[in-house]
């Protein structure tokens, strides 16, 4: 829910356990307490998509038996699989553009233990119009970081479990060319298209590919997106890494984002998510300002985490 600074402060002072997303100007004014936070001025609220620096989005973690907060850098980020609760939920926030976010993005798919521990979260961001720094906050100390991840470990009751899902409006055409890459990377030059080595940037430009459509890979029927950040100087920058040994295709064109989300959300059949987030690229390309995606409300993010880092995806978590 979107709330005022006074309401957020009161909830913290009451001892509530919270996940908070807001502009840095508001997060910096919050008192210490049982909360973690990340920066973004974009949200999907009950009333629809909105850019605001006057409100904070709060999820109350009222389903936890106990919680613990930790802060990790790029060298120890995967300690999350060692320090989480046996029956729990790990919630993490990573700052956009940071080394720890890059480390997590590249390494998470190779950490098999992650799949044994429900892990959800997002990449904090900034106002694209005015700039700034993406930050995360450890609310227990009030400290902010631009180069570390903040984690909340949540212990669940024995009769409860966390279920993490995604809503992805993109798919592919199996007759389109396959694209493969020689290594795990966030910035690429060469690739193989149907087995033929080409410069990826030149291929995109020559084929007039709409880079608002992500690369997609079919993981046993679940599509994972990799979004294009920039195409310049013979290289392609990506918001999430491509992986060696995976075949990609460009997603088929989506004519109406809002309508596709409506259809996919209906098919997902979520009950009452305790957390959800939606990608900034969906917000921008889909013109989601003012548009609703019930029952999913939450921060608009610069990357989503459902075990691994995702792009152009809606991620949500239910406690069942």
């Amino acid at each position: 829910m979107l709330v005022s600074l006074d309401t957020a402060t009161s909830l913290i002072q009451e001892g509530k356990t919270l996940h908070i997303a807001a502009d840095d100007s508001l997060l910096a004014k919050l008192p210490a307490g049982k909360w973690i936070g990340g920066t973004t001025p974009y949200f999907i609220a009950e009333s629809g998509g909105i850019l605001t620096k006057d409100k904070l989005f709060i999820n109350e973690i009222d389903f936890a038996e106990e919680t613990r907060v930790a802060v990790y850098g790029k060298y120890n980020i995967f300690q999350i699989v060692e320090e989480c609760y046996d029956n729990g939920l790990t919630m993490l926030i990573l700052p956009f553009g940071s080394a720890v976010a890059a480390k997590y993005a590249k390494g998470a798919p190779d950490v098999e233990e992650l799949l044994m521990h429900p892990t959800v979260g997002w990449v904090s961001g900034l106002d694209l119009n005015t700039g700034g720094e993406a930050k995360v906050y450890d609310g227990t100390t009030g400290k902010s970081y631009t180069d570390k991840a903040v984690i909340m470990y949540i212990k669940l009751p024995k009769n409860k479990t966390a279920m993490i899902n995604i809503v992805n409006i993109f798919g592919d055409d199996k007759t389109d060319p396959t694209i493969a890459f020689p290594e795990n990377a966030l910035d690429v030059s060469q690739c193989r298209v149907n087995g033929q080595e080409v410069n990826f940037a030149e291929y995109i430009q020559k084929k007039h590919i709409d880079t608002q459509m992500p690369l997609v890979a079919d993981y046993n029927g679940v599509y994972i997106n990799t979004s294009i950040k920039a195409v310049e100087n013979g290289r392609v920058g990506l918001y999430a890494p491509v992986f060696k040994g995976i075949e990609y295709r460009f997603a088929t064109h989506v004519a109406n984002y809002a309508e596709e989300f409506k259809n996919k959300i209906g098919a997902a059949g979520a009950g009452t998510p305790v957390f959800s987030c939606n990608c900034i690229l969906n917000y921008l390309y889909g013109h989601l300002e003012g548009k609703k995606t019930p029952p999913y409300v939450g921060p608009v993010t610069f990357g989503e985490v459902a075990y691994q880092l995702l792009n152009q995806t809606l991620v949500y978590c239910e406690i069942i």
Side-chain angles (χ1 to χ4, degrees):
M1 58 181 176
L2 277 177
V3 303
S4 68
L5 179 60
D6 286 345
T7 298
T9 299
S10 294
L11 289 170
I12 292 169
Q13 291 173 338
E14 290 170 15
K16 304 291 188 182
T17 302
L18 307 172
H19 160 264
I20 306 176
D23 187 72
D24 186 48
S25 62
L26 297 179
L27 291 175
K29 295 176 182 177
L30 293 174
K34 295 191 293 185
W35 63 276
I36 62 169
T39 55
T40 181
Y42 305 95
F43 308 93
I44 303 295
E46 289 83 353
S47 58
I50 184 173
L51 187 161
T52 177
K53 297 182 181 180
D54 298 323
K55 300 285 186 180
L56 307 90
F57 193 94
I58 285 182
N59 298 106
E60 185 175 345
I61 314 299
D62 57 2
F63 50 86
E65 283 195 342
E66 61 182 71
T67 60
R68 205 169 61 241
V69 172
V71 175
Y72 299 124
K74 66 178 181 179
Y75 295 112
N76 64 346
I77 180 60
F78 292 113
Q79 281 183 220
I80 60 174
V81 298
E82 301 170 9
E83 300 183 9
C84 59
Y85 292 105
D86 289 337
N87 181 43
L89 172 66
T90 300
M91 182 178 289
L92 75 157
I93 312 175
L94 304 148
F96 177 70
S98 64
V100 68
K103 180 69 175 289
Y104 189 88
K106 290 181 181 180
D110 296 325
V111 181
E112 294 182 4
E113 294 91 340
L114 266 179
L115 295 177
M116 300 168 60
H117 304 288
T119 304
V120 71
W122 56 290
V123 177
S124 63
L126 48 96
D127 186 334
L128 294 172
N129 297 312
T130 61
E133 285 186 302
K135 295 181 183 179
V136 302
Y137 276 78
D138 173 1
T140 64
T141 64
K143 290 184 178 179
S144 66
Y145 303 90
T146 60
D147 60 347
K148 297 184 185 298
V150 63
I151 317 291
M152 179 175 283
Y153 296 116
I154 301 167
K155 183 179 180 180
L156 299 177
K158 290 181 180 180
N159 63 337
K160 297 293 184 179
T161 188
M163 183 176 70
I164 296 168
N165 278 312
I166 67 174
V167 176
N168 186 358
I169 66 173
F170 297 104
D172 64 356
D173 182 338
K174 298 301 184 186
T175 66
D176 285 349
T178 61
I179 303 169
F181 300 90
E183 60 184 358
N184 300 359
L186 283 160
D187 182 85
V188 299
S189 59
Q190 298 304 113
C191 68
R192 299 188 74 86
V193 178
N194 281 350
Q196 181 179 355
E197 187 167 341
V198 299
N199 178 275
F200 191 34
E202 291 176 1
Y203 175 78
I204 289 172
Q205 292 164 342
K206 182 178 179 180
K207 296 294 184 180
H208 304 290
I209 291 171
D210 180 3
T211 55
Q212 290 190 7
M213 298 298 106
L215 290 167
V216 296
D218 185 345
Y219 288 72
N220 299 315
V222 177
Y223 282 93
I224 302 297
N225 304 329
T226 300
S227 304
I228 306 298
K229 184 177 182 180
V231 181
E232 55 190 9
N233 300 323
R235 303 192 68 85
V236 179
L238 305 165
Y239 284 108
V242 288
F243 295 98
K244 182 180 179 179
I246 301 295
E247 287 191 344
Y248 297 85
R249 292 183 173 91
F250 273 100
T252 52
H253 185 71
V254 173
N256 188 323
Y257 257 75
E259 189 64 26
E260 283 296 321
F261 265 119
K262 181 179 178 181
N263 294 337
K264 292 286 187 179
I265 285 169
T272 307
V274 297
F275 167 85
S276 73
C277 63
N278 202 340
C279 186
I280 184 67
L281 298 180
N282 286 338
Y283 184 89
L284 296 175
Y285 300 161
H287 306 288
L288 296 182
E289 186 171 359
K291 295 185 173 66
K292 303 176 184 179
T293 60
Y296 307 104
V297 293
V300 172
T301 62
F302 285 57
E304 306 78 60
V305 175
Y307 298 98
Q308 70 182 69
L309 181 69
L310 307 173
N311 287 143
Q312 275 178 275
T313 304
L314 186 156
V315 166
Y316 67 96
C317 177
E318 295 179 277
I319 304 300
I320 58 175

